[in-house]
Amino acid sequence: MADQSGEPIIRVRGLVNRFGAETVHDGVDLEVFRGEVIGIVGGSGSGKSVLLRTIIGLNRPVAGNVEVLGSSILTMSDNDQREIEKHWGVLFQDGALFSSLTVAQNIEVPLKEYYDMPLRLLDEIAAFKVGIVGLPDGTGEKYPSQLSGGMRKRAGLARALALDPEIVFLDEPTAGLDPIAAGEFDILIRDLRSSLGLTVFMVTHDLDSLFAICDRVAVLVDKKIRVGTLEQLLQDSHPWIHSYFHGPRGRAALLSETGSRKEKMPAAASI
Amino acid sequence: MASATATLVEKEEPSSLILAAAGEWLVATAADLDQRLLALEVPTGRRVTFDLAGIDRLDTAGAWLLLRTEHDLAERGNAVEMRNLRPSFEPLIDQVRAAGIIAPARHPRPAHHTIAGFIARIGEVSLALIARAYSILGFFGVVSATALRLARHPRRVGMTAIVAQMEQTGVNALPIVGLLTFLIGVVIAYQGADYLRFYGLESYTVQLTAASILRELGVLLTAIIIAGRSGSAFTAQIGTMRVNEEIDAMRTIGLDPVEVLVLPRLFALMLTLPMLTLCANFMGIFGGGLMAWGVLGISIPEFFIHLSTISGWSFWIGMIKSPFFAIIIALIGCYEGFQVARSAESVGRLTTLSVVEAIFLVIVTDAGFSIFFSSMRI
């Protein structure tokens, strides 16, 4: 489980993001610890994806500091940036697979970029990554346009995991999936977290995912962030957070998960 | 960051061959380990024991290498055992084992590496070309039928859309069309004067420039510029709407995409291309006249005397062709837009194709007109 005593693997301090006259973040602080699954929630336009893009260096904030694995993303040299990119994988919303390459070739792209491997080994690694994310045999030969939405997400995850990263960033991994596929995806993330020791940073709208796999949840409200375990946030009196977790959907997700959750994670209840 | 190291030590024991793995079995060391594992020579039937006690760090690539070797040895009939794996790595091994040994994907390879493949490809391309021509003809039919249906309900014609398209394809294209034809006029007059001077006929420079621009170059250049500018825009606009499922949304609302998207573009281009051609002709002759005045010293009244010797048909031949070229450009542009599949990649591919096809057909049609007009002796 999350090692909260250790150094945080991601540390965001005083983040301010502004687009034109519109302020999205105004002093966001967040720490993510090694081995935990953190879920980022918030209303539409509250800057969840902007936060993710800022942490992985795709968006330059107006003010604030972002550290990943101990080094500052905003001031590092290009070489350090390359070095740190080996240690994270990103799954974009619709997979963002390169459409001119097959799934196997997509997975091989980061491997080829960073390591000098014989072609045969590349193909083998790509093939077992396809298996690990639960795609059927033969998917590696297909092009992204031949896959369904759920398969594209799994293929995107396989590419994100190509370098065996320490952190994976997931942008709405279950959006657009049917409930069964979404549930399978949750289980997949949980299994991979426990077997590979991943730290998972997940932007999501899916209450079931939150209850099923997240150790802690960060809520973006009023341009700031509130972080806590689900139990803590369920007690929060902020109106948006209250209606988020205590609305009909929140209650249903809570009911379906509390039973299994207590058995699975006794630690969570004692926090 | 120090580079990771991994080792594999062979030790012969009476009961079995011990392979002691140690260090960091990671994706960073995988290429090296892969080579060492493949170079292992294990006699058939010999028992193999992996001693994994020394492994400090393990990721899926390292786990995969272990399992692949285990699998290969077992296939060859060797008994394989793994021992002393740290308990913390067990879930990882299980996860990779659960994924199973999957045959690597075959890479797509072009089929024409052999002579037979090359011939087969020629056949495929020819058949595809015929199917394409058939399909474009079908599209032309649908557009014509829709246009005729609309002619009975003229109030449904979307004037706003037509005017908007006329602005985009006509007004906004004026500067580039005007500038390019002006330059071509200058070039023809300049080059032509050189050759004609050789025969002492330099005073015919005006006729040469005016005739070639009016009959061919004005309309052809305009059509080619518009195919690159507006034909490609048609494909990209309609193609993007296909990707966004906007076309399907239109159909469900009861709007006919051909009526809403194709006809305004077609009508607009049929009106603007002749106008642009007119402007192109004017600018080209203006450029030629400027050059004649500057280099040959032909005065303005002389220029008009020369110009009046050109038959009126020269002008009409160019103008008659322009609406036909407009139909070709608009039809091909819209047709290729509708061919876009769900992927955004096909938008780019088909946009290129639409420009190439439109220019090709414009030039072929121009050649056809040329034969027709010369048989009519004009």
Side-chain angles (χ1 to χ4, degrees):
Chain A
M1 286 305 111
D3 178 14
Q4 300 221 3
S5 55
E7 273 290 286
I9 196 164
I10 300 172
R11 187 204 295 268
V12 178
R13 281 273 166 270
L15 190 69
V16 179
N17 268 308
R18 209 172 285 140
F19 297 102
E22 183 152 0
T23 304
V24 179
H25 299 137
D26 188 12
V28 165
D29 296 321
L30 177 66
E31 288 184 340
V32 181
F33 298 95
R34 191 175 285 278
E36 77 173 333
V37 178
I38 188 159
I40 313 294
V41 300
S44 295
S46 62
K48 303 181 294 289
S49 294
V50 176
L51 177 62
L52 189 153
R53 291 172 61 85
T54 308
I55 294 175
I56 57 181
L58 292 177
N59 175 55
R60 260 200 116 66
V62 175
N65 188 28
V66 178
E67 280 177 28
V68 177
L69 293 161
S71 34
S72 169
I73 294 291
L74 302 174
T75 56
M76 64 175 36
S77 67
D78 287 354
N79 272 339
D80 293 343
Q81 174 93 25
R82 260 178 77 82
E83 189 57 40
I84 208 150
E85 277 165 3
K86 273 198 240 178
H87 297 279
W88 75 45
V90 185
L91 169 60
F92 289 94
Q93 248 190 56
D94 198 31
L97 295 166
F98 305 123
S99 52
S100 57
L101 303 180
T102 62
V103 170
Q105 287 170 334
N106 262 285
I107 301 171
E108 289 170 18
V109 169
L111 290 165
K112 272 187 190 156
E113 180 63 27
Y114 288 105
Y115 300 110
D116 188 18
M117 286 185 182
L119 258 177
R120 181 194 40 73
L121 182 64
L122 279 174
D123 289 347
E124 286 177 359
I125 292 183
F128 89 77
K129 296 282 178 191
V130 165
I132 279 189
V133 297
L135 287 168
D137 281 15
T139 311
E141 292 162 28
K142 292 196 172 142
Y143 285 92
S145 55
Q146 295 171 287
L147 304 181
S148 69
M151 288 169 89
R152 270 207 297 279
K153 288 205 169 164
R154 282 173 189 261
L157 183 64
R159 188 180 65 186
L161 294 174
L163 295 174
D164 276 292
E166 293 170 51
I167 313 170
V168 282
F169 294 92
L170 310 174
D171 194 358
E172 305 213 13
T174 53
L177 300 188
D178 67 73
I180 299 170
E184 284 172 350
F185 207 91
D186 286 344
I187 294 170
L188 173 66
I189 305 271
R190 198 178 60 204
D191 288 352
L192 290 173
R193 188 271 292 264
S194 59
S195 60
L196 310 182
L198 293 173
T199 306
V200 181
F201 182 100
M202 179 166 74
V203 171
T204 188
H205 266 308
D206 188 336
L207 283 156
D208 292 314
S209 291
L210 279 184
F211 286 108
I213 57 175
C214 290
D215 301 316
R216 286 194 308 152
V217 175
V219 190
L220 279 162
V221 278
D222 306 335
K223 304 179 174 62
K224 301 237 190 298
I225 204 163
R226 292 204 195 193
V227 195
T229 60
L230 272 168
E231 285 74 9
Q232 288 163 350
L233 289 171
L234 285 169
Q235 309 299 323
D236 201 302
S237 60
H238 186 283
W240 193 88
I241 299 176
H242 186 83
S243 53
Y244 187 83
F245 287 109
H246 296 276
R249 283 158 172 266
R251 275 203 307 273
L254 180 62
L255 274 177
S256 69
E257 276 300 328
T258 35
S260 54
R261 199 178 155 75
K262 290 239 165 71
E263 290 162 31
K264 266 186 331 239
M265 305 186 210
S270 63
I271 292 171
Chain B
M1 206 169 283
S3 63
T5 52
T7 57
L8 182 72
V9 180
E10 293 178 56
K11 213 164 28 179
E12 290 283 354
E13 274 189 13
S15 60
S16 73
L17 174 68
I18 308 274
L19 294 172
E24 302 178 309
W25 283 57
L26 302 176
V27 65
T29 54
D32 200 25
L33 288 169
D34 174 56
Q35 235 175 12
R36 303 254 285 285
L37 287 167
L38 288 179
L40 278 180
E41 280 177 21
V42 183
T44 335
R46 183 109 167 88
R47 205 181 148 72
V48 181
T49 307
F50 276 99
D51 184 356
L52 308 177
I55 293 187
D56 300 317
R57 287 172 70 197
L58 184 68
D59 70 6
T60 55
W64 156 257
L65 287 174
L66 287 173
L67 291 171
R68 186 195 67 189
T69 314
E70 180 192 32
H71 177 260
D72 288 352
L73 287 170
E75 285 238 303
R76 291 216 309 258
N78 298 78
V80 191
E81 187 202 353
M82 296 216 182
R83 66 178 193 213
N84 297 339
L85 180 71
R86 285 190 200 172
S88 57
F89 293 141
E90 260 160 30
L92 174 61
I93 292 273
D94 292 343
Q95 180 94 46
V96 177
R97 198 190 292 277
I101 304 286
I102 297 174
R106 279 171 290 124
H107 286 286
R109 228 173 268 289
H112 53 79
H113 281 310
T114 60
I115 292 177
F118 177 68
I119 293 170
R121 190 158 159 74
I122 292 178
E124 277 168 25
V125 170
S126 314
L127 284 178
L129 213 61
I130 292 168
R132 194 173 194 83
Y134 185 73
S135 157
I136 291 177
L137 207 60
F139 184 71
F140 181 55
V142 170
V143 173
S144 310
T146 314
L148 285 178
R149 203 182 61 218
L150 206 62
R152 282 190 285 149
H153 309 278
R155 293 184 60 188
R156 291 191 58 169
V157 177
M159 283 312 291
T160 322
I162 293 181
V163 173
Q165 288 296 335
M166 283 179 74
E167 187 191 351
Q168 275 180 25
T169 59
V171 181
N172 295 348
L174 263 179
I176 184 75
V177 169
L179 178 65
L180 285 182
T181 43
F182 171 78
L183 289 175
I184 291 292
V186 167
V187 169
I188 292 179
Y190 191 73
Q191 302 271 319
D194 254 9
Y195 279 98
L196 290 173
R197 186 178 292 134
F198 184 76
Y199 301 103
L201 299 171
E202 67 259 44
S203 56
Y204 285 99
T205 302
V206 175
Q207 278 95 327
L208 169 76
T209 314
S212 51
I213 285 186
L214 287 176
R215 292 181 81 108
E216 288 295 334
L217 289 174
V219 61
L220 207 56
L221 268 173
T222 311
I224 289 173
I225 294 167
I226 294 304
R229 206 183 158 278
S230 303
S232 61
F234 293 172
T235 310
Q237 288 159 357
I238 295 177
T240 311
M241 294 179 77
R242 282 276 299 187
V243 174
N244 280 341
E245 297 183 312
E246 289 171 53
I247 308 272
D248 297 336
M250 275 184 188
R251 287 213 174 92
T252 59
I253 299 171
L255 294 172
D256 178 2
V258 171
E259 187 186 312
V260 177
L261 297 176
V262 180
L263 289 183
R265 287 175 166 80
L266 181 68
F267 291 155
L269 208 59
M270 283 174 75
L271 290 171
T272 53
L273 200 65
M275 292 194 242
L276 283 171
T277 304
L278 198 63
C279 161
N281 288 345
F282 177 81
M283 289 302 286
I285 293 173
F286 175 63
L290 212 60
M291 213 57 208
W293 174 69
V295 176
L296 303 171
I298 293 175
S299 68
I300 297 172
E302 275 179 287
F303 171 79
F304 278 107
I305 291 168
H306 282 298
L307 201 59
S308 63
T309 62
I310 304 266
S311 98
W313 269 110
S314 293
F315 169 74
W316 287 115
I317 281 174
M319 293 307 287
I320 288 168
K321 289 192 280 193
S322 64
F324 289 94
F325 292 174
I327 294 174
I328 291 172
I329 295 168
L331 270 183
I332 296 288
C334 296
Y335 169 80
E336 296 300 351
F338 280 106
Q339 296 308 301
V340 167
R342 262 184 61 193
S343 75
E345 182 212 4
S346 58
V347 178
R349 195 169 48 79
L350 287 167
T351 304
T352 313
L353 196 65
S354 124
V355 174
V356 174
E357 258 173 8
I359 292 176
F360 170 78
L361 284 177
V362 161
I363 291 175
V364 168
T365 314
D366 190 51
F369 271 116
S370 201
I371 296 167
F372 173 73
F373 286 132
S374 73
S375 72
M376 301 279 291
R377 299 186 188 284
I378 27 183

Short mmCIF file of all heavy atoms in Angstrom, two decimals, chain B residues 273-305:
data_model
loop_
_atom_site.label_atom_id
_atom_site.label_comp_id
_atom_site.label_asym_id
_atom_site.label_seq_id
_atom_site.Cartn_x
_atom_site.Cartn_y
_atom_site.Cartn_z
N LEU B 273 -15.22 30.36 -60.10
CA LEU B 273 -14.09 30.00 -60.95
C LEU B 273 -14.08 30.83 -62.25
O LEU B 273 -13.02 31.34 -62.62
CB LEU B 273 -14.06 28.50 -61.23
CG LEU B 273 -12.69 28.00 -61.68
CD1 LEU B 273 -11.65 28.14 -60.59
CD2 LEU B 273 -12.75 26.55 -62.14
N PRO B 274 -15.23 31.00 -62.94
CA PRO B 274 -15.21 31.89 -64.11
C PRO B 274 -14.78 33.32 -63.75
O PRO B 274 -14.03 33.95 -64.48
CB PRO B 274 -16.66 31.85 -64.61
CG PRO B 274 -17.17 30.54 -64.14
CD PRO B 274 -16.51 30.30 -62.82
N MET B 275 -15.27 33.81 -62.60
CA MET B 275 -14.90 35.17 -62.21
C MET B 275 -13.41 35.27 -61.95
O MET B 275 -12.75 36.24 -62.34
CB MET B 275 -15.67 35.58 -60.96
CG MET B 275 -17.16 35.75 -61.21
SD MET B 275 -17.92 36.62 -59.83
CE MET B 275 -19.05 35.43 -59.22
N LEU B 276 -12.88 34.26 -61.27
CA LEU B 276 -11.45 34.26 -60.99
C LEU B 276 -10.67 34.16 -62.30
O LEU B 276 -9.62 34.79 -62.45
CB LEU B 276 -11.08 33.07 -60.09
CG LEU B 276 -11.42 33.23 -58.60
CD1 LEU B 276 -11.22 31.92 -57.87
CD2 LEU B 276 -10.57 34.31 -57.97
N THR B 277 -11.20 33.36 -63.25
CA THR B 277 -10.52 33.23 -64.54
C THR B 277 -10.48 34.58 -65.25
O THR B 277 -9.45 34.97 -65.83
CB THR B 277 -11.26 32.20 -65.41
OG1 THR B 277 -11.34 30.97 -64.69
CG2 THR B 277 -10.53 31.96 -66.71
N LEU B 278 -11.60 35.29 -65.19
CA LEU B 278 -11.65 36.63 -65.79
C LEU B 278 -10.55 37.51 -65.20
O LEU B 278 -9.80 38.18 -65.92
CB LEU B 278 -13.03 37.23 -65.50
CG LEU B 278 -13.47 38.40 -66.37
CD1 LEU B 278 -13.59 37.96 -67.81
CD2 LEU B 278 -14.79 38.96 -65.86
N CYS B 279 -10.47 37.49 -63.88
CA CYS B 279 -9.47 38.30 -63.20
C CYS B 279 -8.06 37.83 -63.57
O CYS B 279 -7.15 38.65 -63.81
CB CYS B 279 -9.71 38.20 -61.71
SG CYS B 279 -8.30 38.66 -60.72
N ALA B 280 -7.89 36.50 -63.67
CA ALA B 280 -6.57 35.95 -64.01
C ALA B 280 -6.17 36.40 -65.41
O ALA B 280 -5.03 36.82 -65.64
CB ALA B 280 -6.60 34.43 -63.92
N ASN B 281 -7.14 36.35 -66.37
CA ASN B 281 -6.86 36.77 -67.74
C ASN B 281 -6.41 38.23 -67.76
O ASN B 281 -5.43 38.59 -68.41
CB ASN B 281 -8.11 36.62 -68.61
CG ASN B 281 -8.43 35.16 -68.88
OD1 ASN B 281 -7.57 34.30 -68.67
ND2 ASN B 281 -9.63 34.89 -69.32
N PHE B 282 -7.16 39.04 -67.04
CA PHE B 282 -6.84 40.46 -67.00
C PHE B 282 -5.43 40.69 -66.45
O PHE B 282 -4.62 41.41 -67.05
CB PHE B 282 -7.89 41.19 -66.15
CG PHE B 282 -7.60 42.65 -66.01
CD1 PHE B 282 -7.94 43.54 -67.02
CD2 PHE B 282 -6.97 43.15 -64.88
CE1 PHE B 282 -7.66 44.90 -66.91
CE2 PHE B 282 -6.68 44.50 -64.75
CZ PHE B 282 -7.04 45.38 -65.77
N MET B 283 -5.13 40.05 -65.33
CA MET B 283 -3.83 40.27 -64.68
C MET B 283 -2.69 39.75 -65.55
O MET B 283 -1.61 40.35 -65.61
CB MET B 283 -3.79 39.59 -63.31
CG MET B 283 -4.65 40.23 -62.25
SD MET B 283 -4.22 41.96 -61.95
CE MET B 283 -2.69 41.77 -61.05
N GLY B 284 -2.94 38.60 -66.22
CA GLY B 284 -1.89 38.02 -67.06
C GLY B 284 -1.56 38.94 -68.23
O GLY B 284 -0.39 39.21 -68.53
N ILE B 285 -2.62 39.45 -68.90
CA ILE B 285 -2.40 40.32 -70.05
C ILE B 285 -1.79 41.64 -69.59
O ILE B 285 -0.93 42.22 -70.25
CB ILE B 285 -3.73 40.53 -70.81
CG1 ILE B 285 -4.14 39.19 -71.42
CG2 ILE B 285 -3.58 41.59 -71.88
CD1 ILE B 285 -5.49 39.21 -72.05
N PHE B 286 -2.22 42.08 -68.41
CA PHE B 286 -1.65 43.30 -67.84
C PHE B 286 -0.14 43.13 -67.62
O PHE B 286 0.66 43.99 -67.99
CB PHE B 286 -2.36 43.63 -66.52
CG PHE B 286 -1.78 44.79 -65.79
CD1 PHE B 286 -1.80 46.07 -66.36
CD2 PHE B 286 -1.21 44.63 -64.54
CE1 PHE B 286 -1.27 47.15 -65.68
CE2 PHE B 286 -0.66 45.71 -63.85
CZ PHE B 286 -0.70 46.97 -64.43
N GLY B 287 0.23 41.97 -67.06
CA GLY B 287 1.66 41.69 -66.83
C GLY B 287 2.42 41.65 -68.14
O GLY B 287 3.50 42.22 -68.27
N GLY B 288 1.81 40.97 -69.15
CA GLY B 288 2.46 40.88 -70.46
C GLY B 288 2.61 42.25 -71.10
O GLY B 288 3.66 42.59 -71.65
N GLY B 289 1.55 43.08 -71.00
CA GLY B 289 1.57 44.41 -71.57
C GLY B 289 2.64 45.27 -70.91
O GLY B 289 3.37 46.01 -71.57
N LEU B 290 2.74 45.14 -69.61
CA LEU B 290 3.73 45.91 -68.85
C LEU B 290 5.14 45.57 -69.34
O LEU B 290 5.99 46.44 -69.53
CB LEU B 290 3.59 45.56 -67.37
CG LEU B 290 3.91 46.66 -66.36
CD1 LEU B 290 2.99 47.85 -66.58
CD2 LEU B 290 3.77 46.12 -64.95
N MET B 291 5.33 44.28 -69.58
CA MET B 291 6.64 43.81 -70.03
C MET B 291 6.91 44.30 -71.46
O MET B 291 8.02 44.74 -71.78
CB MET B 291 6.61 42.27 -70.02
CG MET B 291 7.93 41.65 -69.69
SD MET B 291 8.51 42.23 -68.11
CE MET B 291 10.24 42.05 -68.43
N ALA B 292 5.86 44.23 -72.32
CA ALA B 292 6.01 44.69 -73.71
C ALA B 292 6.36 46.17 -73.73
O ALA B 292 7.19 46.62 -74.53
CB ALA B 292 4.71 44.43 -74.47
N TRP B 293 5.75 46.91 -72.85
CA TRP B 293 6.00 48.35 -72.79
C TRP B 293 7.43 48.61 -72.27
O TRP B 293 8.17 49.42 -72.82
CB TRP B 293 4.96 48.98 -71.87
CG TRP B 293 5.18 50.44 -71.59
CD1 TRP B 293 5.06 51.46 -72.48
CD2 TRP B 293 5.55 51.02 -70.33
NE1 TRP B 293 5.33 52.66 -71.85
CE2 TRP B 293 5.63 52.42 -70.54
CE3 TRP B 293 5.80 50.49 -69.06
CZ2 TRP B 293 5.96 53.29 -69.50
CZ3 TRP B 293 6.11 51.35 -68.03
CH2 TRP B 293 6.21 52.74 -68.26
N GLY B 294 7.81 47.89 -71.26
CA GLY B 294 9.11 48.12 -70.63
C GLY B 294 10.28 47.65 -71.51
O GLY B 294 11.27 48.35 -71.65
N VAL B 295 10.17 46.48 -72.11
CA VAL B 295 11.30 45.88 -72.82
C VAL B 295 11.29 46.25 -74.30
O VAL B 295 12.33 46.55 -74.88
CB VAL B 295 11.29 44.35 -72.66
CG1 VAL B 295 12.41 43.71 -73.47
CG2 VAL B 295 11.41 43.98 -71.19
N LEU B 296 10.07 46.20 -74.90
CA LEU B 296 10.00 46.43 -76.35
C LEU B 296 9.55 47.84 -76.69
O LEU B 296 9.51 48.21 -77.86
CB LEU B 296 9.03 45.42 -76.98
CG LEU B 296 9.36 43.95 -76.72
CD1 LEU B 296 8.22 43.06 -77.20
CD2 LEU B 296 10.65 43.58 -77.44
N GLY B 297 9.13 48.59 -75.69
CA GLY B 297 8.71 49.96 -75.93
C GLY B 297 7.41 50.06 -76.70
O GLY B 297 7.18 51.00 -77.46
N ILE B 298 6.51 49.07 -76.54
CA ILE B 298 5.21 49.13 -77.21
C ILE B 298 4.30 50.06 -76.40
O ILE B 298 4.06 49.83 -75.22
CB ILE B 298 4.59 47.72 -77.32
CG1 ILE B 298 5.44 46.89 -78.27
CG2 ILE B 298 3.14 47.79 -77.79
CD1 ILE B 298 5.04 45.45 -78.39
N SER B 299 3.79 51.09 -77.04
CA SER B 299 2.99 52.08 -76.31
C SER B 299 1.58 51.53 -76.04
O SER B 299 1.18 50.52 -76.60
CB SER B 299 2.89 53.37 -77.12
OG SER B 299 2.10 53.13 -78.27
N ILE B 300 0.85 52.26 -75.24
CA ILE B 300 -0.47 51.78 -74.85
C ILE B 300 -1.42 51.68 -76.05
O ILE B 300 -2.08 50.66 -76.22
CB ILE B 300 -1.05 52.66 -73.73
CG1 ILE B 300 -0.15 52.53 -72.50
CG2 ILE B 300 -2.48 52.25 -73.37
CD1 ILE B 300 -0.47 53.48 -71.38
N PRO B 301 -1.51 52.70 -76.93
CA PRO B 301 -2.39 52.53 -78.10
C PRO B 301 -1.96 51.36 -78.97
O PRO B 301 -2.80 50.58 -79.42
CB PRO B 301 -2.23 53.87 -78.84
CG PRO B 301 -1.70 54.82 -77.84
CD PRO B 301 -0.92 54.05 -76.86
N GLU B 302 -0.63 51.19 -79.18
CA GLU B 302 -0.14 50.06 -79.98
C GLU B 302 -0.58 48.73 -79.36
O GLU B 302 -1.00 47.80 -80.04
CB GLU B 302 1.39 50.07 -80.02
CG GLU B 302 1.99 50.96 -81.10
CD GLU B 302 3.49 50.92 -81.02
OE1 GLU B 302 4.06 51.52 -80.07
OE2 GLU B 302 4.10 50.24 -81.86
N PHE B 303 -0.46 48.68 -78.04
CA PHE B 303 -0.83 47.47 -77.31
C PHE B 303 -2.27 47.08 -77.60
O PHE B 303 -2.57 45.93 -77.90
CB PHE B 303 -0.61 47.72 -75.81
CG PHE B 303 -1.14 46.64 -74.91
CD1 PHE B 303 -0.44 45.46 -74.73
CD2 PHE B 303 -2.36 46.82 -74.25
CE1 PHE B 303 -0.94 44.48 -73.90
CE2 PHE B 303 -2.85 45.83 -73.42
CZ PHE B 303 -2.14 44.66 -73.25
N PHE B 304 -3.17 48.08 -77.58
CA PHE B 304 -4.58 47.76 -77.80
C PHE B 304 -4.83 47.39 -79.26
O PHE B 304 -5.70 46.57 -79.55
CB PHE B 304 -5.47 48.93 -77.37
CG PHE B 304 -5.71 48.91 -75.88
CD1 PHE B 304 -5.10 49.82 -75.04
CD2 PHE B 304 -6.54 47.94 -75.33
CE1 PHE B 304 -5.31 49.78 -73.68
CE2 PHE B 304 -6.76 47.89 -73.96
CZ PHE B 304 -6.14 48.82 -73.13
N ILE B 305 -4.06 47.96 -80.16
CA ILE B 305 -4.21 47.57 -81.57
C ILE B 305 -3.84 46.10 -81.74
O ILE B 305 -4.57 45.31 -82.34
CB ILE B 305 -3.33 48.46 -82.48
CG1 ILE B 305 -3.90 49.88 -82.49
CG2 ILE B 305 -3.29 47.90 -83.91
CD1 ILE B 305 -2.97 50.89 -83.11
#
